[in-house]
Amino acid sequence: LSHLAGRDDLLVLGLPRGGVPVAAPVAEGLGAPLDVFVVRKLGVPGREELAMGALASGGVRVLGEDVLALAGIGEDELEAVTRREQAELERRERLYRGERPAPSPAGRTVVVVDDGLATGSTMRAAVLALRRAGAAHIVVAVPVAPPQACAELAEEADEVVCPAQPEPFTAVGAWYEDFAQTTDAEVRALLDATLSRGGGRAGGR
């Protein structure tokens, strides 16, 4: 990502929770402001680990029509899950950011960071939301992902940076020495540290 360093329109967004510890050194290294971009998976009722879609900041909902059809999910079930996850998305935004306004991506180069991709559905929701919000150039940056997920995201984002694309992939956590759960407190601390270093312009533009 070093080719982006020094741009005055740059914004780095981490997908909480796990993407924020990866995004923080990226933002510091590029001299860019850091913030969070909250995305929530919409899990199939009773099989919540199976994503039927995702929600992102800005009111964007991405649906996996194939999963919805296979799981036989009706409109009422889908709306109930959406309402619950929307409430959690808004709660997390308040928790992480407090009263500080969300940064505007309009007209900016935005680097969206996560700790890795599996299916890429949550990252896709983030990219679509940022596109809708007027981001000028969207870079997806992850340390590890399956080649297929990177290829699919390359159709949505302007640039995909992923140095490790192992085959077979198994799971994101398999490629980390330490994949302990990131806490809400750790996310807040990383954001606060960025602001204390002078990254307060994250809320600007």
Side-chain angles (χ1 to χ4, degrees):
L1 295 167
S2 58
H3 64 286
L4 298 172
R7 295 183 62 106
D8 61 6
D9 68 337
L10 196 59
L11 173 65
V12 176
L13 298 175
L15 301 189
R17 302 183 183 111
V20 180
V22 182
V26 169
E28 185 175 6
L30 295 178
L34 170 71
D35 213 297
V36 293
F37 199 74
V38 183
V39 182
R40 294 290 299 171
K41 179 175 70 176
L42 299 176
V44 172
R47 298 178 61 194
E48 278 71 18
E49 75 287 349
L50 178 60
M52 59 182 177
L55 293 177
S57 294
V60 171
R61 184 174 73 173
V62 176
L63 298 178
E65 300 295 345
D66 51 345
V67 176
L68 288 170
L70 286 170
I73 303 298
E75 188 65 28
D76 289 346
E77 275 187 301
L78 176 60
E79 290 305 320
V81 173
T82 298
R83 283 194 299 271
R84 184 176 69 244
E85 293 301 336
Q86 181 65 37
E88 177 62 15
L89 185 150
E90 292 170 2
R91 183 194 74 81
R92 289 193 178 212
E93 286 193 320
R94 290 191 300 270
L95 175 66
Y96 299 144
R97 193 177 288 116
E99 297 303 313
R100 183 165 53 85
S104 172
R108 301 178 79 166
T109 296
V110 182
V111 181
V112 197
V113 181
D114 205 355
D115 53 10
L117 301 176
T119 65
S121 61
T122 52
M123 181 62 81
R124 179 169 173 259
V127 170
L128 292 175
L130 290 164
R131 188 76 71 196
R132 191 174 295 181
H137 189 82
I138 300 172
V139 182
V140 169
V142 294
V144 61
Q148 182 179 351
C150 292
E152 290 173 356
L153 273 167
E155 298 178 6
E156 306 280 356
D158 298 298
E159 198 175 339
V160 175
V161 175
C162 179
Q165 299 184 37
E167 194 74 87
F169 176 75
T170 62
V172 172
W175 306 95
Y176 279 81
E177 289 183 6
D178 179 1
F179 201 62
Q181 180 87 2
T182 303
T183 66
D184 288 334
E186 287 173 317
V187 172
R188 280 294 301 268
L190 287 166
L191 294 176
D192 291 345
T194 298
L195 291 172
S196 69
R197 287 197 305 268
R201 61 194 176 102
R205 289 183 71 111

